[in-house]
């Protein structure tokens, strides 16, 4: 069990429906996350302390209550991106019966002046339901609803990146290419109140990088139960999560979502981030998507985006991939500007990154902007990996920009020839 010193209480994250055995209160206060077994009703949290155990256990009985036999009504958790463009907000409402499609859900509104998205004198922002996932916390027929945000007049507000992405992904040229995305979301777990990575001695440093990547053992792996709980919760929700692993820096993890088609990639990443935030909330741990949470000889956190089109996946696709790389090189500055805040601290040319100032590509080279796998080279078809996006990138922006640059945008012949020469690409 991973442990970190925090000033609050001990929490357990398990599966609802199972009886929790109170743990002996330790001399110091710690948090712990217990392994979650398979169940259909989600997760539980239990505060342990002599003065509160009985009250919390009674509360847990209410949280565990299955309302399905008593009512057709369900709880829908409406989720949206807040004013910073990276923070998530949500609130709940009752729906009269189970639903299967977001078109069956009503629009809703919230106070945008309290999220930095509207002035106080005209604060109403409208939520449009766009995607539905099963709720792993409440279970039953309850749902999580990914929404985007509009003014009362129906105009997308500035932080609504989904609207423009949906326009790009609905373009016939793009839909005919069936764009696939596989996104590698890295994140760092931080000890609450001290703003220091999980598993690190407070005010100090662990041993150098090397032993931690995909490692096992209490001295090398910190936060595995959070990662596992998140993995299972995403599977339950219907998110296309495809794997997870411990990362190079201790306290840092990664999960992969995809392959997802078009706009689904952004919906699934935002839903998975929401679930991860909720699990770390229960565990008393802070989630950060900062691309370089610790300065020095430590890896940053990215959101590598694997991408392919139908033409790339078919015979002769490697030539299409090379043409896409050429286009990406010509719009490098545009992509970098959209690939996450603080990315300049991560893209230094060190720690498996390319310099933020220079575009490069290579086969099996993790120090390049764009990496092509050995398997793709050998088969002559496959996908490319854009290694530039930061961990805090907006997935709607990144996926839509990749599709736009490689499918819809065409450079001049002169610019294409110069770029091909510079990159040693035969297109």
């Amino acid at each position: 069990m991973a442990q970190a010193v925090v000033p609050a209480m001990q929490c357990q994250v398990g599966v609802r429906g199972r009886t929790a055995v109170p743990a002996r209160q330790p001399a110091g206060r710690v948090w712990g996350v217990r392994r979650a077994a398979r169940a259909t009703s989600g997760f539980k949290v239990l505060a342990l302390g002599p003065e509160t155990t009985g009250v919390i256990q009674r509360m847990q009985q209410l949280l565990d209550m299955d309302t399905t036999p008593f009512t057709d009504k369900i709880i829908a958790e409406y989720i949206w991106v807040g004013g910073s463009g990276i923070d998530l907000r949500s609130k709940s409402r009752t729906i009269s019966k189970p639903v299967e499609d977001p078109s069956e859900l009503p629009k809703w509104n919230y106070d945008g002046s309290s999220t930095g998205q509207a002035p106080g004198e005209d604060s109403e922002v409208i939520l449009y339901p766009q995607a539905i996932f099963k709720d792993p916390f409440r279970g039953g027929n309850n749902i999580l609803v990914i929404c985007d945000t509009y003014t009362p007049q129906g105009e997308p507000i500035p932080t609504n990146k989904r609207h423009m992405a949906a326009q790009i992904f609905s373009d016939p040229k793009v839909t005919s290419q069936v764009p696939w995305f596989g996104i590698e979301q890295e994140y760092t777990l931080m000890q609450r109140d001290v703003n220091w990575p999980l598993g690190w001695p407070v005010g100090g440093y662990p041993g150098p990088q090397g032993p931690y990547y995909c490692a096992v053992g209490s001295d090398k792996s910190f936060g595995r139960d959070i990662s596992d709980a998140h993995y299972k919760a995403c599977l339950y929700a219907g998110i296309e999560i495809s794997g997870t692993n411990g990362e190079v820096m201790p306290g840092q993890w990664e999960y992969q979502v995809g392959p997802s088609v078009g706009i689904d990639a952004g919906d699934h990443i935002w839903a998975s981030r929401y679930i991860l935030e909720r699990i770390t909330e229960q565990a008393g741990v802070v989630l950060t998507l900062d691309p370089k949470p610790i300065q020095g000889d430590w890896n940053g956190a990215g959101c590598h985006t694997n991408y392919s089109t139908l033409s790339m996946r078919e015979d002769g696709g490697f030539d299409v991939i090379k043409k896409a790389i050429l286009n990406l090189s010509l719009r490098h500055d545009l992509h970098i500007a959209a690939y996450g805040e603080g990315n300049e601290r991560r893209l230094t040319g060190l720690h498996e990154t390319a310099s933020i100032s220079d575009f490069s590509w290579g086969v099996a080279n993790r120090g390049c902007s764009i990496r092509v796998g050995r398997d793709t080279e050998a088969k002559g078809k496959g996908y490319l990996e854009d290694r530039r996006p930061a961990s805090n990138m907006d997935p709607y922006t990144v996926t839509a920009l990749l599709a736009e640059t490689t499918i819809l945008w065409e450079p001049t012949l002169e610019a294409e020839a110069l770029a091909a020469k510079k990159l040693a690409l035969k297109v």
Side-chain angles (χ1 to χ4, degrees), residues 244-264:
T244 186
N245 59 269
E247 266 302 331
V248 176
M249 190 182 86
Q252 187 183 91
W253 290 81
E254 175 190 299
Y255 64 92
Q256 303 88 36
V257 171
S260 304
V261 179
I263 197 71
D264 287 351

Side-chain angles (χ1 to χ4, degrees), residues 180-186 247 254 256 302-308 312 321 324-325 328 339 346 352 354 359-374 376 382-389 398 402:
W180 288 1
F181 298 94
I183 299 178
E184 306 170 25
Q185 176 69 70
E186 294 179 343
E247 266 302 331
E254 175 190 299
Q256 303 88 36
C303 209
H304 305 154
T305 302
N306 300 277
Y307 167 65
S308 70
M312 294 178 188
I321 291 172
I325 292 171
L328 290 168
Y339 273 15
R346 169 180 161 262
E352 302 181 67
F359 182 90
S360 58
W361 81 282
V363 176
N365 186 346
R366 283 179 163 76
C368 286
S369 308
I370 305 294
R371 182 182 72 88
V372 175
R374 291 288 183 197
T376 294
Y383 66 95
L384 61 85
E385 178 193 31
D386 191 341
R387 297 180 58 80
R388 296 171 294 173
V398 169
L402 280 168

Side-chain angles (χ1 to χ4, degrees), residues 69-114:
F70 310 104
T71 179
D72 290 332
K73 295 178 180 178
I74 65 167
I75 302 172
E77 191 74 19
Y78 279 46
I79 302 164
W80 69 96
V81 179
S84 72
I86 190 63
D87 61 311
L88 284 163
R89 309 293 179 114
S90 75
K91 61 177 183 171
S92 313
R93 70 176 297 166
T94 302
I95 305 297
S96 61
K97 62 180 181 178
V99 298
E100 295 183 357
D101 190 90
S103 63
E104 302 175 61
L105 292 167
K107 295 175 184 175
W108 205 8
N109 65 76
Y110 67 93
D111 171 18
S113 68
S114 295

Side-chain angles (χ1 to χ4, degrees), residues 378-400:
K379 292 181 177 179
K381 59 183 177 181
Y383 66 95
L384 61 85
E385 178 193 31
D386 191 341
R387 297 180 58 80
R388 296 171 294 173
S391 51
N392 59 6
M393 62 82 150
D394 187 300
Y396 296 130
T397 299
V398 169
T399 56

Side-chain angles (χ1 to χ4, degrees), residues 63 152 163 251 288 300 337 342 403:
L63 290 171
H163 178 77
T288 180

Side-chain angles (χ1 to χ4, degrees), residues 7 64 144 165 169 179 185 203-204 232 254 279 309 320 366 373 384 411:
D64 289 342
L144 306 178
F169 286 122
Q185 176 69 70
K232 291 183 178 181
E254 175 190 299
I279 289 173
T309 63
V320 182
R366 283 179 163 76
L384 61 85

Side-chain angles (χ1 to χ4, degrees), residues 186-190 197 249-253 286-290 293 301:
E186 294 179 343
Y187 61 93
T188 306
L189 299 173
M190 308 289 279
M249 190 182 86
Q252 187 183 91
W253 290 81
V286 176
L287 167 70
T288 180
L289 298 182
D290 189 293

